[in-house]
Amino acid sequence: RFVQVGRPGQSIQEAIDAAREGGWIFVLPGVYHETADATNGLNITRGLHLIGLSWTQRKVVLENSGGQRNGIAAVPADHTDCMSCHSSLAPPFDLRPGVDMGSTSDTPTIYGLTIAGITIKDFDNNGLFTRGVDGFAIVNVHSVGNKNYGIFPVSSKNGIISHSSAVGADDSGIWVETSQNVRVVHNLVEGNVNGFEISN
């Protein structure tokens, strides 16, 4: 398995792009500003393990580099260009004229995803967003000041969200939407309009 270590001043996205399916990426503590994508801080399009080596005094922090909408988007490759379909990533996620999301398959295309030890901060819409993921672990992930949703798996299954937190969302801190077999345990949500939301 490919192992990549990211350091402050380096690009986490470059490490993600270089990693093989199922590979491991370890990120050293520090504040990271990713600039490769104007919409998402990080794009993950295949199964891998992204591990922030955070500890009590020093954390891995992914911060909005300016005008970005999602902190981390773990979605099939053809979904990373969010703004080609949506005019807004704020609820109710308005579609551009002529776009029919009913034709989009919800069959999972990402298998085996771990995101751990990362604080995601101050994105315009969502902290961590997933779609079409089968088999995921979101552990020790902290959403701070992401405007709409903190941790937001959609159309995903067989996952766990644990020992994570969300604060400062004007909608839901943790929202599990249209997903199957997802456990949400040992988390803290505070200072959001809704703490937890589960919907199908």
Side-chain angles (χ1 to χ4, degrees):
R1 301 283 187 190
F2 186 84
V3 176
Q4 179 82 26
V5 178
R7 295 176 172 82
Q10 296 180 334
S11 169
I12 301 173
Q13 185 65 59
E14 288 181 4
I16 290 170
D17 293 342
R20 299 173 183 170
E21 181 86 23
W24 292 77
I25 301 164
F26 295 97
V27 183
L28 295 175
V31 178
Y32 293 80
H33 298 94
E34 298 286 330
T35 59
D37 189 320
T39 301
N40 305 319
L42 296 174
N43 288 307
I44 299 173
T45 59
R46 60 189 176 280
L48 51 76
H49 309 281
L50 178 62
I51 312 297
L53 300 177
S54 295
W55 54 290
T56 305
Q57 300 300 323
R58 299 193 63 206
K59 300 185 182 302
V60 176
V61 179
L62 175 64
E63 211 168 58
N64 194 339
S65 66
Q68 291 171 319
R69 295 169 180 265
N70 298 312
I72 300 176
V75 298
D78 59 351
H79 283 65
T80 58
D81 185 12
C82 307
M83 305 317 296
S84 66
C85 293
H86 296 276
S87 59
S88 172
L89 293 185
F93 310 104
D94 291 329
L95 295 173
R96 293 189 178 279
V99 174
D100 177 16
M101 291 302 285
S103 63
T104 301
S105 172
D106 284 336
T107 302
T109 57
I110 297 176
Y111 297 93
L113 174 69
T114 303
I115 300 175
I118 299 177
T119 297
I120 306 168
K121 189 175 180 183
D122 293 336
F123 286 85
D124 291 356
N125 295 117
N126 310 303
L128 169 57
F129 172 74
T130 77
R131 181 183 177 89
V133 180
D134 186 350
F136 65 89
I138 298 169
V139 181
N140 191 25
V141 171
H142 305 283
S143 171
V144 179
N146 299 299
K147 184 177 179 184
N148 298 132
Y149 304 107
I151 298 172
F152 184 22
V154 177
S155 300
S156 298
K157 61 184 180 180
N158 302 321
I160 186 168
I161 303 169
S162 72
H163 297 88
S164 297
S165 67
V167 60
D170 66 6
D171 203 303
S172 298
I174 297 176
W175 180 14
V176 180
E177 197 262 330
T178 322
S179 296
Q180 303 173 45
N181 191 32
V182 178
R183 297 184 66 213
V184 182
V185 294
H186 306 299
N187 299 287
L188 173 67
V189 288
E190 58 184 353
N192 309 286
V193 172
N194 298 318
F196 297 95
E197 181 174 355
I198 312 294
S199 64
N200 61 4

